[in-house]
Amino acid sequence: MSELADGAPGPAQMCEEARNLAESGEAGRAAALFEKVLALGETPCRAQAALGLAVVLDDAGEVERAREADQVAIATADPEYGPRAAYHLALTHERAGEPGLAAPAWGAVVDFGNPAYLPPAHLALARIADDAGDFDAARDHWEAAVGTGDAEYGPLAAHDLAQRLLERGDPARAQRVLTAGLRLIDRDAAPYAYARLAVALGISYLDQAIGAFGAALAAEPSDPEAGPLATELLARTLPLRGRGGEAAEVWRRGLADPGVAPQVRARLRRDFGEEDADAGLWWEPVVEQAVSEGTLPALAGEAFGALDHMYALLAVRYAERREDEAHEVLGGAVRVPSGYPWGPLLHESFAERLRLAMGTTVANWPEG
């Protein structure tokens, strides 16, 4: 251990001066002072000086020397500067894309047990383990991060863990994790973080419902009372989770089961119109199939496209304003859409296209 000359500043004073120099942009002089403290040996300021040197060197781009200084600080086992140095060391490896080297540094942070640095360390270790395919280790660290009660890292860990639990078919556990995460968030202070977990919680309930509805349909033959309801609920819920193909199969099985098919068809067609409306319309089987397969929006697009094309063919002739019976028939045809909510939109669209083509407006156009 080097001796200080009489009247020379002590290690603490030198560390403070070095910190001020670093903040003033004099990195070289700061590093020299931190190294001078380290040269004194095992002083109470050794860990502080080593971490200060690591930060200055890292800022200067001397990453390897910075890591060596971090290791010196870690070796002191100082309860404050030791975990901070391990944290800094881990970040240098994370920044360099070296998770395998970052993991031991994060592990050192955890080993120090300083509660101020545990949440980010556990979250980082969980993500490293998850990327490596070690779910059990990742889960332990995610749960530990949530368990710290930290309002910043706890909710992130809860979201990550819940996502993996949902992927593994465990929505009930995901719900417990998300509920714990939501308790850590001040909804007014962090509305987006709260919304993120709330949506994930809702998804977990959807997945749980899908499992329950599926279980209700597992019996053979289907329950004549619960079967049709479970079929509809399952088929209408699956698309919310991006599983439209499975929903189509659920409808197909229900319609193929003679014991429940009539009730299933009635539920499938519940939005077709009044029960006493005319039956046997040619397009109803097409609509029914589209509903069961989740392709109704595409079918509606096709139908409107065909209508627009036919309407244009009729309307061009009507716009010519011939004084004969055919003209009156055409007028009746182009007025047919007027009674529908979307009718004025069709009229406006064609009238604008005709104006652009002819350079003038068309007088007395329906709904014009």
Side-chain angles (χ1 to χ4, degrees):
M1 175 177 177
S2 301
E3 297 293 336
L4 288 172
D6 292 340
Q13 186 177 352
M14 284 192 286
C15 282
E16 180 65 19
E17 183 180 351
R19 184 180 68 82
N20 291 333
L21 287 169
E23 291 177 353
S24 300
E26 299 188 55
R29 292 179 61 193
L33 265 180
F34 283 133
E35 288 176 329
K36 188 173 181 180
V37 174
L38 291 177
L40 296 174
E42 300 297 329
T43 68
C45 297
R46 182 172 179 79
Q48 181 183 359
L51 175 59
L53 177 61
V55 172
V56 169
L57 292 173
D58 187 27
D59 289 343
E62 299 186 54
V63 179
E64 289 304 321
R65 288 185 61 200
R67 290 171 177 170
E68 292 173 1
D70 280 326
Q71 293 287 6
V72 171
I74 294 169
T76 67
D78 184 273
E80 173 60 27
Y81 293 103
R84 287 173 62 179
Y87 184 98
H88 181 263
L89 177 61
L91 290 181
T92 68
H93 287 300
E94 293 270 6
R95 192 173 63 228
E98 301 168 338
L101 296 175
W106 287 123
V109 175
V110 171
D111 291 341
F112 273 104
N114 188 318
Y117 305 102
L118 287 177
H122 279 302
L123 180 60
L125 286 168
R127 290 176 172 174
I128 291 171
D130 183 50
D131 289 342
D134 189 345
F135 172 73
D136 290 337
R139 179 191 57 209
D140 290 344
H141 284 295
W142 276 322
E143 290 177 343
V146 175
T148 65
D150 186 83
E152 179 181 359
Y153 295 98
L156 294 174
H159 185 271
D160 287 353
L161 176 55
Q163 289 294 106
R164 291 293 175 263
L165 290 170
L166 290 174
E167 291 169 4
R168 299 170 72 88
D170 194 351
R173 190 167 187 175
Q175 289 164 21
R176 293 194 293 271
V177 170
L178 289 166
T179 300
L182 283 168
R183 284 198 290 266
L184 303 178
I185 301 175
D186 182 336
R187 186 173 185 176
D188 294 329
Y192 295 152
Y194 189 93
R196 191 177 184 217
L197 288 195
V199 168
L201 181 61
I203 289 173
S204 72
Y205 281 112
L206 281 178
D207 282 1
Q208 192 171 43
I210 287 171
F213 299 146
L217 293 174
E220 293 288 347
S222 297
D223 185 315
E225 293 186 9
L229 176 59
T231 296
E232 179 185 14
L233 291 172
L234 180 57
R236 296 191 187 278
T237 304
L238 282 167
L240 298 176
R241 294 293 284 126
R243 298 162 65 179
E246 295 176 54
E249 178 61 19
V250 170
W251 282 122
R252 189 197 64 75
R253 289 200 307 268
L255 294 170
D257 186 341
V260 297
Q263 298 95 316
V264 170
R265 176 163 280 106
R267 290 180 175 279
L268 175 64
R269 299 165 59 92
R270 64 166 64 249
D271 297 325
F272 280 30
E274 299 296 331
E275 293 184 2
D276 58 355
D278 293 337
L281 299 172
W282 67 264
W283 60 80
E284 287 204 353
V286 179
V287 177
E288 180 179 304
Q289 181 179 359
V291 172
S292 68
E293 295 177 352
T295 59
L296 190 58
L299 176 64
E302 292 173 358
F304 276 115
L307 174 62
D308 185 69
H309 187 191
M310 292 186 293
Y311 183 86
L313 294 175
L314 292 170
V316 166
R317 296 292 177 266
Y318 179 66
E320 295 173 353
R321 308 195 63 79
R322 298 176 181 175
E323 297 297 333
D324 55 24
E325 182 178 350
H327 183 266
E328 292 302 318
V329 173
L330 289 172
V334 298
R335 285 182 172 82
V336 167
S338 302
Y340 295 91
W342 43 265
L345 296 176
L346 179 60
H347 292 314
E348 291 172 10
S349 173
F350 177 76
E352 177 62 12
R353 282 185 288 164
L354 196 62
R355 183 190 68 79
L356 293 174
M358 298 178 63
T360 183
T361 58
V362 182
N364 301 320
W365 195 257
E367 303 297 318

